[in-house]
Amino acid sequence: MKTIVCFWFVLGALSASGKVLVTKPGQKAILECGVNTFTKQLEWYHEKDLLHRVSHRGFPSKGKGEIVTNSKVKQTKLEIVLVKKEYAGKFICIADENRQEHTLLVASVSVKASPSTELQLGSEAELDCQVEGLDQGSTATWKRPDGSLHSGILKSVDHSDEGDWECTFPSGGETYSQILAIKVKGPTPVPADPTLSQGTTCVDCVTHPPSVTAFLLGLSWWVWVAVGAGCLVVVLLLVFVIILCKRIKKKQGKFQAMKNGRQPLKPKKYCKCDSPAAAAKPQQKRRREKPSALPPQPLLML
């Protein structure tokens, strides 16, 4: 008889232990009461504070606080729309005589480095894992991508630090985790010389890379020779065209000059001066000449 009583007591304790729900700030969380219906009333508590109470007739009543405005009851489930760190802790659901207790853990993982989770090779960084709602004495620990434990403080970032870091924390006899992806940036490698793959060796390629003019734009030498020859041909054509135009103009000038020489001469135009005319010379007095003898007249015939 005592064995049966102990069995039912342990079974009731397990059913009342509830679940552990892990979420992040800003996400949605849904807590189940453990029953689908109730006959008298349904109550949800956060620690000792009343959140929601619903009677069997459907008349709801609410408590006070920010978490009340950010949560609502759907049938028997409690839905938190926007989770905050302050909401972490114990949530208790009482439906008639059934009691269900849940634990909400709000985990936040981040890396403290500049500029972001893409760490520079050789820089310093610190991984931060904060979990609200853990039991007293429980702490979070970091695991490297290879699975080994780590304090989360990186004094000199290496390529081996790249990957998924796992923040683990215990609650209710189980272990939970959150993943933080880390990327490591290193110096840009020097591209290999394509000419070296043809059997040649280069000793100082790293310390003394080839000049930019030798491989400008990545084109081969024969391409640049063809471009230079084309430019030379264009220049010679321009010079030929200029000389030809000058000769044509010169011939046109000679032809015009010959054409103008064949035209009839025009009377010369003298310049009319506006200066006053010279004074007329005085006329000399002419000598009186003796009148010439009259010509002989013919004799009249009677």
Side-chain angles (χ1 to χ4, degrees), residues 34-65:
V35 296
N36 296 326
T37 59
F38 58 92
T39 57
K40 295 181 180 180
Q41 66 178 8
L42 173 71
E43 294 178 326
W44 273 100
Y45 290 86
H46 179 226
E47 300 295 345
K48 297 181 180 180
D49 299 329
L50 175 65
L51 299 178
H52 300 275
R53 178 184 289 120
V54 182
S55 65
H56 67 286
R57 295 182 180 179
F59 296 107
S61 60
K62 298 181 181 180
K64 296 181 180 180

Coordinates of all heavy atoms in Angstrom, one line a residue, residues 34-65:
G34 N -0.7 22.3 -19.4 CA -0.7 20.9 -19.1 C -2.1 20.3 -19.2 O -2.3 19.1 -19.3
V35 N -3.1 21.1 -19.3 CA -4.5 20.7 -19.5 C -5.1 21.5 -20.6 O -4.7 22.6 -20.9 CB -5.3 20.8 -18.2 CG1 -4.8 19.9 -17.1 CG2 -5.4 22.3 -17.7
N36 N -6.1 20.9 -21.2 CA -6.8 21.6 -22.3 C -8.1 22.3 -21.9 O -8.5 23.2 -22.6 CB -7.1 20.6 -23.5 CG -5.8 20.0 -24.1 OD1 -4.8 20.7 -24.2 ND2 -5.9 18.8 -24.5
T37 N -8.7 21.8 -20.8 CA -10.0 22.4 -20.4 C -9.9 22.5 -18.8 O -9.1 21.9 -18.2 CB -11.2 21.5 -20.8 OG1 -11.0 20.2 -20.2 CG2 -11.3 21.4 -22.3
F38 N -10.9 23.3 -18.3 CA -11.0 23.5 -16.9 C -12.5 23.8 -16.6 O -13.2 24.2 -17.5 CB -10.1 24.7 -16.4 CG -10.4 26.0 -17.0 CD1 -11.3 26.9 -16.5 CD2 -9.8 26.3 -18.2 CE1 -11.6 28.1 -17.1 CE2 -10.1 27.5 -18.9 CZ -11.0 28.4 -18.3
T39 N -12.9 23.5 -15.4 CA -14.3 23.6 -15.0 C -14.6 24.8 -14.1 O -15.7 25.4 -14.2 CB -14.8 22.3 -14.3 OG1 -14.0 22.1 -13.1 CG2 -14.7 21.1 -15.2
K40 N -13.6 25.3 -13.4 CA -13.9 26.4 -12.5 C -13.2 27.6 -13.0 O -13.8 28.5 -13.5 CB -13.4 26.0 -11.1 CG -14.2 24.9 -10.4 CD -13.7 24.6 -9.0 CE -14.5 23.5 -8.4 NZ -14.1 23.1 -7.0
Q41 N -11.8 27.7 -12.8 CA -11.1 28.8 -13.3 C -9.7 28.5 -13.6 O -9.1 27.4 -13.2 CB -11.1 30.0 -12.2 CG -10.4 29.6 -11.0 CD -10.4 30.8 -10.0 OE1 -11.1 31.8 -10.2 NE2 -9.6 30.7 -8.9
L42 N -9.0 29.3 -14.4 CA -7.7 29.2 -14.9 C -6.9 30.4 -14.4 O -7.3 31.5 -14.6 CB -7.6 29.0 -16.4 CG -6.2 29.0 -17.0 CD1 -5.5 27.7 -16.6 CD2 -6.3 29.2 -18.5
E43 N -5.7 30.1 -13.8 CA -4.8 31.2 -13.3 C -3.4 31.0 -13.8 O -2.9 29.9 -13.8 CB -4.9 31.3 -11.8 CG -6.2 31.7 -11.2 CD -6.2 31.7 -9.7 OE1 -5.5 30.8 -9.1 OE2 -6.9 32.5 -9.1
W44 N -2.8 32.2 -14.2 CA -1.4 32.2 -14.6 C -0.7 33.2 -13.7 O -1.1 34.3 -13.5 CB -1.2 32.6 -16.0 CG -1.3 31.4 -17.0 CD1 -2.3 31.1 -17.8 CD2 -0.2 30.5 -17.3 NE1 -2.0 30.0 -18.6 CE2 -0.7 29.6 -18.3 CE3 1.1 30.3 -16.8 CZ2 0.0 28.5 -18.8 CZ3 1.8 29.2 -17.3 CH2 1.3 28.4 -18.3
Y45 N 0.5 32.7 -13.1 CA 1.3 33.6 -12.2 C 2.7 33.6 -12.7 O 3.2 32.6 -13.3 CB 1.3 33.0 -10.8 CG 0.0 33.1 -10.0 CD1 -1.0 32.1 -10.2 CD2 -0.3 34.1 -9.2 CE1 -2.2 32.2 -9.5 CE2 -1.5 34.2 -8.5 CZ -2.4 33.3 -8.7 OH -3.6 33.3 -8.0
H46 N 3.3 34.8 -12.5 CA 4.8 34.9 -12.7 C 5.4 35.1 -11.4 O 5.2 36.2 -10.7 CB 5.1 36.1 -13.6 CG 6.6 36.3 -13.8 ND1 7.2 37.6 -13.7 CD2 7.6 35.5 -14.2 CE1 8.4 37.5 -14.0 NE2 8.7 36.2 -14.2
E47 N 6.1 34.1 -10.9 CA 6.6 34.0 -9.5 C 5.4 34.1 -8.6 O 4.6 33.1 -8.6 CB 7.6 35.1 -9.2 CG 8.9 35.1 -10.1 CD 9.7 33.9 -9.9 OE1 9.6 33.2 -8.9 OE2 10.6 33.6 -10.7
K48 N 5.1 35.2 -7.9 CA 4.0 35.3 -7.0 C 2.9 36.3 -7.6 O 1.9 36.6 -6.9 CB 4.4 35.7 -5.6 CG 5.3 34.7 -5.0 CD 5.7 35.1 -3.6 CE 6.6 34.1 -2.9 NZ 7.0 34.5 -1.5
D49 N 3.2 36.9 -8.7 CA 2.4 37.9 -9.3 C 1.3 37.3 -10.2 O 1.7 36.5 -11.1 CB 3.2 39.0 -10.0 CG 4.2 39.7 -9.1 OD1 3.9 39.8 -7.8 OD2 5.3 40.1 -9.5
L50 N 0.1 37.7 -10.0 CA -1.0 37.2 -10.9 C -0.9 37.9 -12.2 O -0.8 39.1 -12.3 CB -2.4 37.5 -10.3 CG -3.6 37.2 -11.1 CD1 -3.7 35.7 -11.4 CD2 -4.8 37.7 -10.5
L51 N -1.0 37.1 -13.3 CA -1.0 37.7 -14.6 C -2.4 37.7 -15.2 O -2.9 38.7 -15.6 CB 0.0 36.8 -15.5 CG 1.4 36.8 -15.1 CD1 2.2 35.9 -16.1 CD2 2.0 38.2 -15.1
H52 N -3.0 36.5 -15.3 CA -4.3 36.4 -15.9 C -5.1 35.4 -15.1 O -4.6 34.4 -14.6 CB -4.2 35.9 -17.4 CG -3.4 36.8 -18.3 ND1 -4.0 37.9 -18.9 CD2 -2.1 36.8 -18.6 CE1 -3.1 38.5 -19.6 NE2 -1.9 37.9 -19.5
R53 N -6.5 35.7 -15.0 CA -7.4 34.7 -14.4 C -8.7 34.7 -15.3 O -9.2 35.7 -15.7 CB -7.8 35.2 -13.0 CG -8.8 34.3 -12.4 CD -9.3 34.8 -11.0 NE -8.2 34.7 -10.0 CZ -7.7 35.7 -9.3 NH1 -8.1 36.9 -9.6 NH2 -6.7 35.5 -8.4
V54 N -9.1 33.5 -15.6 CA -10.2 33.3 -16.5 C -11.2 32.3 -15.8 O -10.8 31.2 -15.4 CB -9.8 32.7 -17.9 CG1 -11.0 32.5 -18.8 CG2 -8.8 33.6 -18.5
S55 N -12.4 32.7 -15.6 CA -13.4 31.9 -15.0 C -14.1 30.9 -16.0 O -13.9 31.1 -17.2 CB -14.5 32.7 -14.3 OG -15.3 33.4 -15.3
H56 N -14.8 30.0 -15.5 CA -15.4 29.0 -16.4 C -16.5 29.6 -17.3 O -16.9 29.1 -18.3 CB -16.0 27.8 -15.6 CG -17.2 28.2 -14.8 ND1 -17.1 28.9 -13.6 CD2 -18.5 28.0 -15.0 CE1 -18.3 29.1 -13.1 NE2 -19.2 28.6 -13.9
R57 N -17.0 30.8 -16.9 CA -18.0 31.5 -17.7 C -17.3 32.4 -18.8 O -18.0 33.0 -19.5 CB -18.9 32.3 -16.8 CG -19.7 31.5 -15.9 CD -20.6 32.3 -15.0 NE -21.5 31.5 -14.1 CZ -22.4 32.0 -13.3 NH1 -22.5 33.4 -13.2 NH2 -23.1 31.2 -12.5
G58 N -16.0 32.5 -18.7 CA -15.3 33.3 -19.7 C -15.0 34.7 -19.3 O -14.6 35.5 -20.2
F59 N -15.2 35.0 -18.1 CA -14.9 36.4 -17.6 C -13.5 36.5 -17.2 O -13.0 35.9 -16.3 CB -15.8 36.8 -16.5 CG -17.3 36.8 -16.8 CD1 -18.1 35.8 -16.4 CD2 -17.8 37.8 -17.6 CE1 -19.5 35.8 -16.7 CE2 -19.2 37.8 -17.9 CZ -20.0 36.8 -17.5
P60 N -12.6 37.3 -18.0 CA -11.2 37.4 -17.6 C -10.9 38.5 -16.7 O -11.7 39.5 -16.6 CB -10.6 37.7 -19.0 CG -11.6 38.4 -19.7 CD -12.9 38.0 -19.3
S61 N -9.9 38.4 -16.0 CA -9.3 39.5 -15.1 C -7.8 39.4 -15.2 O -7.2 38.3 -15.4 CB -9.8 39.3 -13.7 OG -9.3 38.1 -13.1
K62 N -7.2 40.6 -15.1 CA -5.7 40.7 -15.3 C -5.1 41.3 -14.1 O -5.7 42.0 -13.3 CB -5.4 41.5 -16.5 CG -5.9 41.0 -17.8 CD -5.5 41.8 -19.0 CE -6.1 41.3 -20.3 NZ -5.7 42.1 -21.5
G63 N -3.8 41.0 -14.0 CA -3.0 41.6 -12.9 C -2.4 42.9 -13.4 O -2.9 43.6 -14.4
K64 N -1.3 43.3 -12.8 CA -0.6 44.6 -13.2 C 0.8 44.3 -13.6 O 1.4 43.3 -13.1 CB -0.7 45.6 -12.0 CG -2.1 46.0 -11.6 CD -2.0 47.0 -10.5 CE -3.4 47.5 -10.1 NZ -3.4 48.4 -9.0
G65 N 1.4 45.2 -14.4 CA 2.8 45.0 -14.8 C 2.9 45.0 -16.3 O 1.9 44.8 -17.1

